[in-house]
Amino acid sequence: MSDINSPSRYTITAALPYTNGPIHIGHLAGVYVPADIYARYLRLTGKDVAFVCGSDEHGVAISMKAKKEGVTPKDIIDKYHAIIKQSFVDFGITFDNYSRTSAKIHHDTASEFFINLYDKGDFIEETTAQLYDEEAQQFLADRFVIGTCPKCGNEEAYGDQCENCGSSLNATDLINPKSTITGTIPTTKETKHWFLPLDRYEEFLKDWILKGHKDDWKPNVYGQCKSWIDGGLEPRAVTRDLDWGIPVPVEGGEGKVLYVWFDAPIGYISSTKEWAAREGKDWEPYWKDENTKLVHFIGKDNIVFHCIIFPSMLKAEGSYILPENVPANEFLNLEGNKLSTSKNWAVWLHEYLVDFPEMQDSLRYTLTANAPETKDNDFTWKDFQARNNNELVAILGNFINRVVVLTNKYYEGKVPAKGSLTDVDIETLEQLSKYPGIISSSIERYRFREAGQELMNLARLGNKYLADAEPWKVIKIDEERVKTIMNVALQIAAGLAILSEPFLPFTSNKLKNILNIDSSAGDGLNWNDVSTKEALLQSEHQINQAELLFRKIEDSEIQTQLDKLEATKKANQNENKKLMPQKDTITFDDFSKLDMRVGTIIEAEKMAKAKKLLVLKVDTGLDVRTIVSGIAESFKPEEIVGKKVTVLVNLAPRALRGVDSEGMILMTENADGKLVFVNPDEDSVGNGEGIN
């Protein structure tokens, strides 16, 4: 029997990003930062790790993007694969291999997997009615169809999933479906496909998940799996009618490709194969040895695929291990609104790296501290600024700077020998020695937010120790005591240099350079040394000069980012705003009958018992008249007194709630749906002037 608590190796996968757009902070917080923390930590503790990922290049989203931009799918995937891969490198995500599903090794691996199941008779072959776009002359799968979700009523559900309630759907489940290609109402047409009979695996899934992982899987993951299994599983298509993807490799599969949800998770296997071939390793133990621990890092929208469907595929194949854990995160919102690639409502990683050069760790820290581990969470630029300035700069950066500056000032950068220890010294060093275990416990339970805060607590310990010991005062009366104080403080600094590496890798490297310590495998200090070594820095060890680990972020920088988002919001509102259709054509004679004049509102009050109406007194230049206007929900009476307006003065009077209204104020709506006066800008235009 295997002991999964002390595995021989770890296979860590991170969800394959779609190459229909760059990486944004939602992807980072949900998947890539926690996965990288976990992989870095395991390597630091001497574990054998394969951390794999790659670009998912066969989704319908790719085809849609290509059609929209008038280019080929290959143009799209090549563009975004390059952006995504470089962004990960620049951000310090340490994949052992980053592949792509368009690679030959992946096509071969996915095809072999399909043929293996096909030859074993694990698929059901059925001819079914599918939605078909007559105008586009193609079947509609996934995101090529939109309609009303039968479960929650969301009118913008896709043919594979409702993003409002998270339900997995088939295109034929939608109410009032519509083609996203032409906008037409689809017909149905028969087509042959192969299905994975998930219902055959219900008992296996109940035993493996509902019994076997009740206590160690996150409640959000376990709950979604239980809901699916309890609802009864049905066969699910593994092929579809599309011209972009991996061709179905059996007779009768002409014009069809493997469904992306079937081929994408196999991308983890093909990426591992690619890595193993390059490194001269055998890939199979990382996927087929029971002493390997397999962990999938994903977002909550992928739980079903990684916990129900992919394990069923692996079980059907028979020689693969199953994931030991799938610590899926919830969603990260941005400034109170849902992140959206299509609406450009995001903080794009490649843009962040330009706007905040050499500040990768500030974003890594904020996303870890704000990780949506148990519920959806919100990223705000103000919180990002506060965490950087008040925690990274003021706590961690401040402690390190004081220690290094004082060591150089008092001892020319050499670690002083410690003398006799006080109870406080002993207690502080004991606390330091416990932090590797404390942080390890949090990481191994996938509580990365908690682990990151424990790291910051170690920096707080150092700050408190220095503040209480006051070496800058004691140096005047007891130089020997200061040597001990600074020795203890330097041990804490060295501990921080090592333990910060999974969370703040760029800072860790900078700090190791400042302290002149080596943490390379086999030679230098490692994770466990913080607990076991009597001293991380020996006396007389030479450190380097101080340099700032972090810089403060100014209000103006944050305002620039907020302005960028505000511009995006307005652009979306303008794009989404439905303009009033043109009315029937009129003649010039009809138009010339309209008498529009410049006027000024001189009085305004709410009409009693009328929510929307204001009673206005308007000086039209010809007279002062009463006009009743339905603008009370947009303006307070006192806001509009003195406002210059455009008035249709020859409109026949009309009684509204007993008040005769003698004209009409011209209004329109802005992108926010707020009423706006249509009025002349020039101050020199006087009341009564005609508008021609």
Side-chain angles (χ1 to χ4, degrees), residues 158-441:
Y158 291 110
D160 61 342
Q161 187 176 44
C162 174
E163 294 190 347
N164 183 57
C165 67
S167 297
S168 184
L169 303 169
N170 291 309
T172 50
D173 295 334
L174 296 174
I175 302 166
N176 300 323
K178 183 174 68 175
S179 168
T180 60
I181 303 171
T182 63
T184 59
I185 297 172
T187 59
T188 55
K189 191 174 180 179
E190 288 196 337
T191 183
K192 180 178 71 173
H193 283 294
W194 287 267
F195 292 76
L196 181 67
L198 291 177
D199 47 317
R200 290 184 194 168
Y201 302 96
E202 270 194 34
E203 289 307 312
F204 148 67
L205 292 167
K206 285 179 181 177
D207 185 63
W208 175 57
I209 300 175
L210 301 190
K211 293 180 183 177
H213 289 293
K214 186 175 183 178
D215 297 325
D216 62 328
W217 280 17
K218 293 171 70 170
N220 59 320
V221 178
Y222 183 86
Q224 194 174 134
C225 292
K226 188 175 189 308
S227 177
W228 255 70
I229 296 168
D230 288 349
L233 301 177
E234 298 177 357
R236 193 167 178 88
V238 297
T239 60
R240 59 180 174 174
D241 297 283
L242 200 65
D243 57 2
W244 178 248
I246 299 174
V248 174
V250 296
E251 186 178 345
E254 298 77 14
K256 303 178 191 297
V257 298
L258 300 184
Y259 214 148
V260 69
W261 67 256
F262 182 88
D263 104 68
I266 296 172
Y268 302 138
I269 301 170
S270 59
S271 185
T272 308
K273 284 184 176 181
E274 193 174 72
W275 164 74
R278 186 182 69 240
E279 299 296 324
K281 292 175 174 282
D282 180 4
W283 72 272
E284 290 203 1
Y286 292 88
W287 280 95
K288 297 187 176 185
D289 189 317
E290 62 178 5
N291 288 311
T292 296
K293 185 172 183 175
L294 173 62
V295 182
H296 295 311
F297 283 88
I298 58 168
K300 71 176 177 182
D301 52 338
N302 272 320
I303 289 173
V304 167
F305 300 106
H306 288 74
C307 298
I308 303 286
I309 298 172
F310 188 42
S312 296
M313 291 163 54
L314 297 175
K315 182 72 173 175
E317 198 280 341
S319 66
Y320 286 83
I321 58 173
L322 299 172
E324 185 62 26
N325 213 311
V326 187
N329 275 349
E330 299 293 289
F331 289 151
L332 185 74
N333 297 320
L334 171 59
E335 298 287 350
N337 292 310
K338 186 176 180 180
L339 282 153
S340 171
T341 297
S342 61
K343 294 178 181 177
N344 195 32
W345 188 255
V347 176
W348 303 107
L349 176 56
H350 67 295
E351 292 182 1
Y352 171 88
L353 292 169
V354 172
D355 293 346
F356 295 92
E358 298 184 13
M359 295 188 69
Q360 298 95 325
D361 285 351
S362 295
L363 184 58
R364 287 177 70 112
Y365 179 76
T366 300
L367 294 178
T368 303
N370 226 7
E373 291 180 348
T374 54
K375 61 181 178 62
D376 290 358
N377 224 334
D378 196 38
F379 176 92
T380 69
W381 280 110
K382 290 289 188 184
D383 178 67
F384 166 75
Q385 180 187 27
R387 289 194 183 277
N388 179 84
N389 293 356
N390 301 339
E391 296 177 35
L392 292 177
V393 174
I395 299 173
L396 177 54
N398 178 59
F399 170 67
I400 296 299
N401 190 60
R402 288 202 290 177
V403 172
V404 176
V405 166
L406 291 176
T407 302
N408 277 286
K409 181 179 179 181
Y410 298 156
Y411 311 112
E412 297 181 332
K414 291 182 179 178
V415 176
K418 64 176 181 284
S420 59
L421 300 177
T422 67
D423 289 345
V424 172
D425 299 334
I426 294 169
E427 184 183 346
T428 300
L429 290 171
E430 284 179 352
Q431 284 185 266
L432 169 62
S433 70
K434 291 176 182 176
Y435 269 96
I438 292 170
I439 296 173
S440 291
S441 175

